[in-house]
Amino acid sequence: MDLIQSYEEHDTDSDDSPLRTLPSKSAAPKVDDTMLALTTAAGAANRALTKPLDPTQHIVNFNPTYDQLWAPIYGPSHPFAKDGLAQGMRNHKLGFVEDAAIAPFLFDEQYNTFHKFGYAADPSGSEGYNYVGDLDRMKETSGISVYNIPQHEQKKRKIEKKKETLEEENQGDEVDVTEVENPASDAWLSKNRKSPWAGKKEGLQGELTEEQKKYAEEYAKKKEDEKSGNNRDKGEVFADKSTFHGKEESDYQGRSWIAHPKDAKATDDHRYIPKRLVHTWSGHTKGVSAIRFFPKHGHLLLSAGMDTKVKIWDVFNSGKCMRTYMGHGKAVRDIWFCNDGTKFLTAGYDKNIKYWDTETGQVISAFSTGKIPYVVRLNPDEDKQNILLAGMSDKKIVQWDMNTGQITQEYDQHLGAVNTITFVDDNRRFVTSSDDKSLRVWEFGIPVVIKYISEPHMHSMPSISLHPNTNWLAAQSLDNQILIYSTRERFQLNKKKRFAGHIVAGYACQVNFSPDGRFVMSGDGEGKCWFWDWKSCKVFRTLKCHEGVCIGCEWHPLEQSKVATCGWDGLIKYW
């Protein structure tokens, strides 16, 4: 009773105090849930911190992290992701970015196809072609793109367009389809005055004149020759022929007539200037342009004539002409022996270079570029005797491999016709002179000039000879002097050595050395042969050799004081 009374009293006294009830009894054991409450609160806080921000929210009640600020707004949630995308699937802070390359043409094609037909290839479909867009339309058009309209469709459209324009012009008259398809027909031309052919029909020439026919035939023939590769302009075709003038081609022991005599040996290295004429060879009907002694022994002498013939003469015994080689249609410009003398090269104004067998007179091979060769040389190395260099009238030095007949290199830096080719530096390099009044030095096989010598005072140098010690080059300059250049690295002009006195202006007179290097010799335009002392540069002797120009002079390789000269009077003289 007292309890109820006290409860009522309390109720009436204080309305604010909460109702107190009796504690309920539970059979479950008491559990300490402090830690659970703490972890739940921490998890909620973490979720709030890692959850992406809601863009509709105006107030953020906490400081968001960098990751939260940059998290994507929408996107698939991932169980292991902080911001909806797994960390392993990201390569960029905004998600996964994949490089893709597409050609501009392909992109334009798909873009325009989609805008025109409503479908395009799905760029993500790597295997096969998956399409996006209007698939029904795609089936109708067989999946063609905007760029590959079938040919017949294009033609059809063109004809339709033409038909429309013609009908407009003719005010609805029927149009003949053949006229549309063939706009060059007379009916079409007469109607359509806007055509580029309009009004020109009357002016067309029916028959060609004789001159026009001839020109057309020549042009067609030239084109045909170019196609077939047998361009006749390359060099004049001339039958190769050779005549032997000796008694027999081999002696009783079976030795060939070109074999050198066994007793031909140099008696002494010391050389002397010749004084008198020993022998004269006269077999050429026109001038002689070059002479060459047989290598090492000099028992035969080869000569190139302006009468298109090349002759070889006996020096040691009979002094007669041994063989005549006829294979050029015009004057022979240059000749050159191979190292052992069994073969030689000839270059003619008929644009041909021929490689002959000395003994039999057979042409082994012929070469031509359609230009005149002014100088021919073989590489002096024993292992490169198949490599031919020719200085041409079209400013090039052309290199052939004679085994294959192919041009293997072209050296084309000169600005004028090439006159000389001289190998230096153990045949690793060669020097060329040209009508452009310059000297150029080349690495063999590399068409790049390694040294270019051109001075304002220089003249053209049509003949160059190498000193026996290989340290100097003597160059015949057309201002009536012989200049000396070193063959060492710098190829400098030796200003202390200069040989003058002779008159060679306008003539390619050959300059040469005695085998011991003590004397320099040269022909001149007045038919004389001049000899200078190498050390003092003084004139030692002059010989009146020829009527007219003395163009070539060669010192015998073995004899002490024997010299051969040739001139434009058609004679070869032995001194």
Side-chain angles (χ1 to χ4, degrees), residues 236-264:
E236 294 170 25
V237 178
F238 197 79
D240 306 317
K241 207 165 70 176
S242 181
T243 311
F244 183 67
H245 307 293
K247 287 182 183 174
E248 49 194 5
E249 296 198 22
S250 58
D251 64 4
Y252 68 97
Q253 285 185 322
R255 287 180 304 189
S256 166
W257 63 272
I258 66 162
H260 63 88
K262 296 290 179 208
D263 57 343

Side-chain angles (χ1 to χ4, degrees), residues 375 389 391 397 411 414 418-422 430-434 436 438-442 449 461 464 473:
V375 55
L389 282 108
I397 300 117
Y411 309 84
H414 273 295
V418 180
N419 293 323
T420 66
I421 298 170
T422 313
F430 61 91
V431 182
T432 59
S433 69
S434 159
D436 62 6
S438 72
L439 291 178
R440 286 168 208 246
V441 186
W442 315 76
V449 173
M461 297 175 184
I464 290 180
L473 286 173

Side-chain angles (χ1 to χ4, degrees), residues 181-207:
E181 288 181 353
N182 180 17
S185 64
D186 289 334
W188 192 87
L189 280 169
S190 62
K191 284 180 188 175
N192 190 356
R193 286 287 157 204
K194 288 177 186 171
S195 157
W197 295 280
K200 294 184 183 175
K201 197 77 175 172
E202 300 79 31
L204 285 176
Q205 195 173 13
E207 281 295 313

Side-chain angles (χ1 to χ4, degrees), residues 308-375:
T308 75
K309 296 185 178 78
V310 176
K311 291 177 180 282
I312 195 161
W313 314 82
D314 187 357
V315 177
F316 265 35
N317 302 318
S318 63
K320 290 178 181 172
C321 177
M322 297 300 289
R323 193 180 268 283
T324 303
Y325 308 88
M326 293 163 282
H328 287 280
K330 289 182 181 171
V332 182
R333 162 85 190 201
D334 194 24
I335 45 176
W336 194 256
F337 271 115
C338 71
N339 284 0
D340 58 4
T342 55
K343 300 172 190 73
F344 65 88
L345 286 164
T346 61
Y349 282 100
D350 59 354
K351 304 175 184 173
N352 286 318
I353 300 166
K354 296 200 173 181
Y355 192 44
W356 302 78
D357 187 297
T358 313
E359 185 182 350
T360 62
Q362 297 289 315
V363 172
I364 299 164
S365 47
F367 310 93
S368 179
T369 63
K371 298 289 182 277
I372 299 167
Y374 283 167
V375 55

